[in-house]
């Protein structure tokens, strides 16, 4: 770590789960019940100090939990108002691109240079190092465990192999052991990021948001931008949505970025046309247009007060590692909707009503109604799946959810979140260690009996969005 602690800033943003509103939330006429998660992506920004006389303009981004995860960029001011454009420099024998990092740098640095020129003198972007640290639940440890046994890992945090010494059929450290044994918060993976198995908690949205927030905080004075203020969050939201869409090459509903910025909420998306006028990063006019769009009022609606959990109830998630293929699910559901507009509208409208009912049952602490409210949603989600030919709540997941609710006393019910499929379930459960232990026991025997690999993640639903962090949590990871 550098001696200049005062020039080191840390920010984190949470992952997401869409408890209700998958597919509907793509359309502004409907909304989604989104939970932020306790699993966060942290980004720490530091100045790079060079010896006197050495002139260096470089942005270094690294994910020290993974192999070959350093991305170095040179940068320049592009002609004709093209903004700040980065160019990846080679590290080692090859260039491993990271489009989410690269696009975020182009967008955030351009915004910083533009916004910084207004009330203050022209803003200069100095060299910086950005360190990314992701909480363990973003990646499935199981797939890495075999490799971990062979690979030697040292320094910094604990390795995956050392945290995976459990009796479970899966090598994921059980949620209770993560909590109780203080397993290292940031595991060291013996793989590259590309080989790590994601658990679908929205790592790219949390990364783009946290990286944008860290850059804004590092470079801009508080009087221009404070990500803790409502105005700062709005700028961050618009900037991160724009960068995330550009990196993904498509405009999704953006609920994942909204969760990263605002935390849990009832979310209504922005009109996709908001972003239509932003040209490609580095091309003529990009800088002015980006500033204008990011600083404009979007039609996004984020109702934070519509979402909360009853006291003593937690939102938990299980990773279901069946190797399902979810590509094309959205396309197929939307194709059915276009083909059968009337039937789809009736279904969408009723499902929206039931989704909102889940939100109010939870917010109003009507605990006794949770199970029925979730079942009512699942019924229509299955109907949507059957009608469109997409396994949104596949039979194996129906069986798992029903069995969890019937056999584990502290489980109120659950859903297959987001787009659905085979990968995960989200549960509303009693928030105590006994329930946690019983769920773990249940999923372990379920996995054995079904030949599948279901594991309870340590992650929990959490209300808070992006936040500034102190540096203690990153001890041993910073240069
Ligand atoms: N720790 C990290 N360090 C650097 N880049 C990361 C990190 N985690 C994720 N990313 C970036 O995000 C990409 C993964 O994004 P993708 O949208 O495929 O997954 P996700 O957001 O986790 O999934 P989902 O949308 O299903 O929840 C990676 O290829 C990488 O570019
Ligand atoms: C299907 C959709 O509504 C939700 C996808 O959620 P997830 O990526 O499965 O968590 C797509 C979207 O909202 O962008």
């Amino acid at each position: 770590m550098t001696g200049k602690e005062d020039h080191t800033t840390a920010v984190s943003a949470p992952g997401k789960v869409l408890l209700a509103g998958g597919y509907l939330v793509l359309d502004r006429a409907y909304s989604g019940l989104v939970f932020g998660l306790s699993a966060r992506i942290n980004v720490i920004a530091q100045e790079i100090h060079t010896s006197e006389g050495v002139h260096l303009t470089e942005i270094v981004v690294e994910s020290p939990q993974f192999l070959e995860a350093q991305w170095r960029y040179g940068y320049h001011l592009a002609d004709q108002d093209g903004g700040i454009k980065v160019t990846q420099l080679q590290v080692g024998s090859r260039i491993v691109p990271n489009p989410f990092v690269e696009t975020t740098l182009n967008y955030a640095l351009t915004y910083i240079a533009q916004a910084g020129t207004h009330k203050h003198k022209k803003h200069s972007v100095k060299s910086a190092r950005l360190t990314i640290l992701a909480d363990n639940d973003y990646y499935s440890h199981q797939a890495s465990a075999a490799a971990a046994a062979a690979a030697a890992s040292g320094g910094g945090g604990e390795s995956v192999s050392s945290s995976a010494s459990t009796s479970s059929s899966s090598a994921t450290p059980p949620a209770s052991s993560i909590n109780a044994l203080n397993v290292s918060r940031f595991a060291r993976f013996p793989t590259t990021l590309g080989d790590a198995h994601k658990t679908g908690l929205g790592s790219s949205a949390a990364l783009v948001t946290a990286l944008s927030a860290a850059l804004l905080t590092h470079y801009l004075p508080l009087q221009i931008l404070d990500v803790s203020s409502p105005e700062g969050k709005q700028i961050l939201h618009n900037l991160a949505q724009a960068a995330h869409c550009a990196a993904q090459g498509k405009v999704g509903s953006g609920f994942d970025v909204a969760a990263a910025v605002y935390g849990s909420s009832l979310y209504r998306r922005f009109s996709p046309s908001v972003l239509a006028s932003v040209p490609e990063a580095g091309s003529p006019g990009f800088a002015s247009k980006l500033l204008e769009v990011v600083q404009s009022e979007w039609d996004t609606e984020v109702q934070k007060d519509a979402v909360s959990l009853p006291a003593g109830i937690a939102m938990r998630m299980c990773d279901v590692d069946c190797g399902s293929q979810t590509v094309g699910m959205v396309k197929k559901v939307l194709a059915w909707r276009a083909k059968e507009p009337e039937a789809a509208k009736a279904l969408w409208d009723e499902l929206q009503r039931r989704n909102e009912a889940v939100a109010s049952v939870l917010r109003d602490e009507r605990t006794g109604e949770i199970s029925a409210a979730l079942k009512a949603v699942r019924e229509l989600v299955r109907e949507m799946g059957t009608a469109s030919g997409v396994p949104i709540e596949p039979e194996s997941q129906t069986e798992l959810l029903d069995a969890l609710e019937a056999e584990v006393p502290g489980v109120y019910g659950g859903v297959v979140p987001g787009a659905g499929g085979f990968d995960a379930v989200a549960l509303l459960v009693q928030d105590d260690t006994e329930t946690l232990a019983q769920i773990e026991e249940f999923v372990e025997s379920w996995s054995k009996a079904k030949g599948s690999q279901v594991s309870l993640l340590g992650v929990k639903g959490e209300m808070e969005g992006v936040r500034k962090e102190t540096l203690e949590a990153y001890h041993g990871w910073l240069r």
Side-chain angles (χ1 to χ4, degrees):
M1 199 193 299
T2 74
K4 285 212 158 193
E5 300 257 332
D6 50 330
H7 282 104
T8 301
T9 4
V11 185
S12 74
K16 53 72 185 170
V17 62
L18 185 61
L19 194 74
Y23 303 98
L24 274 66
V25 71
L26 287 161
D27 183 338
R28 274 209 94 238
Y30 304 90
S31 57
L33 174 55
V34 186
F35 276 88
L37 297 173
S38 54
R40 288 179 167 262
I41 298 233
N42 302 260
V43 178
I44 304 101
Q46 296 170 281
E47 282 185 345
I48 295 179
H49 297 284
T50 47
S51 359
E52 217 164 304
V54 177
H55 213 72
L56 181 85
T57 48
E58 207 182 29
I59 305 283
V60 180
V61 182
E62 52 197 355
S63 261
Q65 293 168 280
F66 298 94
L67 302 178
E68 296 177 28
Q70 191 190 68
W71 306 275
R72 301 182 92 100
Y73 302 89
Y75 52 94
H76 68 280
L77 200 56
D79 291 343
Q80 298 177 56
D81 188 33
I84 292 196
K85 185 86 173 60
V86 301
T87 310
Q88 191 169 356
L89 310 170
Q90 189 159 335
V91 182
S93 56
R94 63 198 179 106
I95 284 202
V96 182
N98 188 327
F100 287 95
V101 166
E102 184 166 333
T103 309
T104 304
L105 291 180
N106 285 332
Y107 274 64
L109 296 178
T110 295
Y111 182 83
I112 287 158
Q114 286 292 109
T117 52
H118 280 256
K119 292 181 209 130
H120 294 251
K121 64 179 173 26
K122 196 164 169 50
H123 194 88
S124 80
V125 169
K126 294 205 185 106
S127 296
R129 175 185 309 282
L130 294 125
T131 307
I132 302 166
L133 291 169
D135 276 323
N136 292 336
D137 276 337
Y138 280 99
Y139 316 96
S140 168
H141 295 233
Q142 194 170 308
S144 316
S153 58
E158 235 163 282
S159 76
V160 174
S161 53
S162 65
S163 63
S165 55
T166 74
S167 59
S168 161
S169 59
S170 120
T172 306
S176 56
S177 80
I178 290 177
N179 299 337
L181 298 177
N182 195 20
V183 165
S184 172
R185 179 170 171 198
F186 307 113
R188 193 174 277 275
F189 289 79
T191 61
T192 61
L193 190 54
D195 288 337
H197 286 220
K198 296 172 300 165
T199 49
L201 304 186
S203 62
S204 65
L207 168 75
V208 167
T209 302
L211 183 55
S212 302
L215 290 162
L216 294 171
T217 308
H218 183 71
Y219 286 112
L220 290 176
L222 272 184
Q223 61 272 28
I224 293 195
L225 198 132
D226 179 1
V227 294
S228 313
S229 72
E231 302 75 30
K233 282 205 174 68
Q234 191 179 323
I235 295 288
L236 173 65
H237 170 268
N238 297 356
L239 180 65
Q241 289 283 18
H244 196 246
C245 285
Q248 270 188 320
K250 64 169 194 218
V251 184
S253 72
F255 80 91
D256 44 5
V257 171
V261 176
Y262 295 105
S264 302
S265 77
L266 198 61
Y267 171 77
R268 192 183 301 281
R269 67 163 306 155
F270 54 91
S271 299
S273 57
V274 168
L275 291 170
S277 61
V278 181
E280 202 180 312
S283 64
F286 171 68
S288 306
K289 200 71 209 176
L290 182 72
L291 187 80
E292 181 194 318
V293 166
V294 168
Q295 293 186 339
S296 68
E297 205 58 52
W298 290 22
D299 53 2
T300 321
E301 286 171 30
V302 176
Q303 286 183 55
K304 278 210 61 73
D305 55 2
V307 180
S308 61
L309 287 173
I313 292 188
M315 213 278 313
R316 288 270 180 188
M317 294 193 65
C318 289
D319 186 31
V320 183
D321 221 358
C322 288
S324 77
Q325 190 48 271
T326 56
V327 177
M329 289 170 78
V330 172
K331 251 193 190 157
K332 262 179 117 174
V333 171
L334 296 187
W336 173 76
R337 188 177 179 218
K339 201 170 120 242
E340 303 280 350
E342 270 172 38
K345 181 170 183 334
L347 203 154
W348 258 235
D349 288 352
E350 178 55 20
L351 190 47
Q352 172 71 17
R353 207 186 56 73
R354 296 187 188 188
N355 291 343
E356 284 175 19
V358 170
S360 33
V361 160
L362 294 175
R363 190 196 50 215
D364 302 342
E365 310 219 349
R366 304 201 309 266
T367 308
E369 296 173 41
I370 295 176
S371 167
L374 290 176
K375 282 197 176 115
V377 163
R378 287 176 54 202
E379 185 192 4
L380 286 195
V381 165
R382 285 195 297 269
E383 217 172 275
M384 188 192 238
T386 310
S388 56
V390 174
I392 305 176
E393 187 187 296
E395 244 172 77
S396 58
Q397 298 281 58
T398 303
E399 240 189 280
L400 172 63
L401 285 170
D402 289 347
L404 270 161
E405 189 179 334
E407 291 171 41
V408 184
V411 175
Y412 292 95
V415 294
V416 188
F422 297 88
D423 295 336
V425 294
L427 304 171
L428 290 168
V429 306
Q430 237 161 319
D431 192 12
D432 54 46
T433 46
E434 200 186 331
T435 303
L436 206 63
Q438 285 173 346
I439 300 173
E440 263 165 7
E441 211 176 292
F442 176 89
V443 296
E444 192 178 334
S445 50
W446 184 267
S447 299
K448 278 191 191 128
K450 303 284 172 185
S452 63
Q453 278 185 325
V454 186
S455 57
L456 179 67
L457 294 171
V459 75
K460 267 173 134 177
E462 197 182 81
M463 295 300 139
E464 199 181 359
V466 71
R467 68 172 179 233
K468 291 183 193 166
E469 301 281 357
T470 53
L471 299 179
E472 291 84 51
Y474 316 119
H475 185 72
W477 287 102
L478 303 181
R479 297 190 197 203

